[in-house]
C-alpha cells in the first residue's frame, strides 16, 4: 500500500515511520509512505502557505494554490482509485469500518491542515472525503494522519505478523478485548484467574469470551446494542 502525506511539519513523521510495526512494514515493502512538505509546492521565495480569512474574524487560512499543486503532483502517475483524504474535525468519524475500507485501497493521500483550516475550494477540487479522529480540537491534521496510518497499516496483509491477532482485535469481533495476564503469577496480592493456569484450552476460550462480553456490557453497552442490530439485520439473529 502507498500512503502520501502533505503537511507543513514533515519532521513530525520521522520517528513514527521508523518505529515498530510501521518501520518493519516499510522495510519489507508492504507499506510505502511518502511525506511531502506543503511549502515545497509554493512558488514564492518566502514559502508562505497561509493568509487572512476573507470576511475577517482573525486566525489564518491555508491558501489553495500550494495544496492544489501538491495534490495534483502527488496524484500524477498514481492509480485512478487514489483516495484523497482531508483530516478535519468536520469529517466523518473514523471507526473500524472506515479503517477497513481505507485499508482496501491501494493508495491514499492524506492532507494535514493547520490554522483555521484550508480554503474551501481545495476540498471542492481535490478532496474525496473528510475524516475526523474524534470530537475534540487539535492543532493540526498530523496526529490524525498518524492515527489513520497506524490503524490502516494493521489491516494490510502481512503487516501484523499474526493474522489471528488482527481478527481478534476489539471491534473486529464486535466486542472489547478480554483481560490479559502475564508473569508474575501474583502482583501485590492479586492472583491470575486460575482458569488461565489450568491448561484447559476450551475452558480458557470460554472464559475469555465471557470476560469480553462482561467488559463490553460494562464499559461500552452501545457496542453490544450495535452488534445486536447488525445480527438481526443480516438475518442470522
Ligand atoms: N480529527 N484538527 C485539522 C486544521 C484544519 C481544519 C479544517 C483542515 C480543515 C482533527 C480531528 C482536528 C484541528 C486537524 C484543525 N484542517 N482532525 N486542523 N479532531 O481537530 O481530524
Amino acid at each position: 500500500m502507498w500512503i502520501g502525506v502533505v503537511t507543513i511539519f514533515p519532521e513530525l513523521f520521522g520517528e513514527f515511520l521508523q518505529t515498530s510495526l510501521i518501520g518493519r512494514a516499510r522495510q519489507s515493502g508492504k507499506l510505502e509512505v511518502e511525506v511531502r512538505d506543503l511549502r515545497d509546492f509554493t512558488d514564492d521565495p518566502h514559502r508562505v502557505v497561509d493568509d487572512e480569512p476573507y470576511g475577517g474574524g482573525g486566525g489564518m487560512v491555508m491558501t489553495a494554490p500550494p495544496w492544489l499543486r501538491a495534490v495534483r503532483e502527488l496524484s500524477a502517475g498514481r492509480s485512478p482509485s487514489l483516495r484523497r483524504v482531508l483530516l478535519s474535525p468536520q469529517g466523518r468519524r473514523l471507526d473500524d469500518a472506515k479503517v477497513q475500507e481505507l485499508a482496501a485501497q491501494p493508495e491514499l493521500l492524506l492532507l494535514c491542515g493547520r490554522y483555521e483550516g484550508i480554503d474551501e475550494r481545495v476540498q471542492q477540487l481535490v478532496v474525496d472525503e473528510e475524516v475526523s479522529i474524534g470530537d475534540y480540537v487539535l492543532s493540526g491534521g498530523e496526529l490524525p494522519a498518524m492515527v489513520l496510518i497506524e490503524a490502516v497499516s494493521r489491516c494490510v496483509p502481512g503487516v501484523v505478523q499474526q493474522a489471528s491477532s488482527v481478527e481478534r482485535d476489539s471491534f473486529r469481533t464486535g466486542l472489547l478485548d478480554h483481560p490479559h495476564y502475564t508473569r508474575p503469577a501474583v502482583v501485590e496480592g492479586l492472583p491470575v484467574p486460575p482458569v488461565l493456569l489450568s491448561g484447559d484450552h476450551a475452558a480458557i476460550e470460554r472464559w475469555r469470551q465471557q470476560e469480553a462480553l462482561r467488559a463490553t456490557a460494562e464499559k461500552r453497552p452501545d457496542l453490544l446494542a450495535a452488534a445486536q442490530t447488525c445480527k438481526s439485520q443480516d438475518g442470522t439473529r
Side-chain angles (χ1 to χ4, degrees), residues 87-90 113-117 131-134 136-138 140-141 144:
L87 287 312
S88 114
Q90 279 85 48
R114 287 253 154 187
Y115 316 120
E116 306 309 311
V131 168
S132 164
I133 63 159
Y136 38 82
V137 180
L138 301 167

Side-chain angles (χ1 to χ4, degrees), residues 12 16 22 29 45 49 69 73 86 90 108 115 150 166 172 198 202 215 225 228 231:
L12 283 177
F16 169 71
I22 307 245
V49 293
R69 251 182 88 184
E73 233 169 82
L86 172 65
Q90 279 85 48
L108 297 178
Y115 316 120
E150 188 161 307
V166 173
R172 205 65 36 102
S198 69
Q228 284 312 318
K231 281 187 194 152

Side-chain angles (χ1 to χ4, degrees), residues 2 6 34 36 41 69-76 78 109:
W2 178 87
V6 182
E34 187 173 343
R36 300 293 301 270
F41 299 90
R69 251 182 88 184
V71 173
R72 287 178 177 144
E73 233 169 82
L74 283 162
S75 305
R78 296 274 150 206
L109 182 57

Side-chain angles (χ1 to χ4, degrees), residues 62 67 86-92 111-120 123 130-145:
M62 297 186 109
W67 282 108
L86 172 65
L87 287 312
S88 114
Q90 279 85 48
R92 185 192 136 166
L111 286 66
C112 307
R114 287 253 154 187
Y115 316 120
E116 306 309 311
I118 306 176
D119 188 304
E120 188 65 21
Q123 273 216 63
E130 226 177 332
V131 168
S132 164
I133 63 159
D135 294 339
Y136 38 82
V137 180
L138 301 167
S139 301
E142 288 78 11
L143 285 170

Side-chain angles (χ1 to χ4, degrees), residues 86-194:
L86 172 65
L87 287 312
S88 114
Q90 279 85 48
R92 185 192 136 166
R93 186 106 54 87
L94 187 65
D95 60 11
D96 181 62
K98 176 57 77 180
V99 167
Q100 289 190 63
E101 183 198 320
L102 293 176
Q105 313 303 316
E107 301 181 331
L108 297 178
L109 182 57
L110 308 181
L111 286 66
C112 307
R114 287 253 154 187
Y115 316 120
E116 306 309 311
I118 306 176
D119 188 304
E120 188 65 21
R121 290 161 293 188
V122 170
Q123 273 216 63
Q124 286 176 256
L125 291 168
V126 296
V127 170
D128 299 307
E129 63 183 302
E130 226 177 332
V131 168
S132 164
I133 63 159
D135 294 339
Y136 38 82
V137 180
L138 301 167
S139 301
E142 288 78 11
L143 285 170
M146 287 186 241
V147 167
L148 200 153
I149 292 169
E150 188 161 307
V152 161
S153 301
R154 295 179 58 80
C155 302
V156 173
V159 165
V160 174
Q161 285 313 309
Q162 207 153 357
S164 64
S165 94
V166 173
E167 273 138 40
R168 273 203 315 268
D169 272 351
S170 317
F171 305 115
R172 205 65 36 102
T173 63
L175 296 177
L176 297 184
D177 208 354
H178 55 76
H180 300 268
Y181 294 87
T182 187
R183 283 183 280 270
V186 180
V187 173
E188 300 196 359
L190 299 175
V192 173

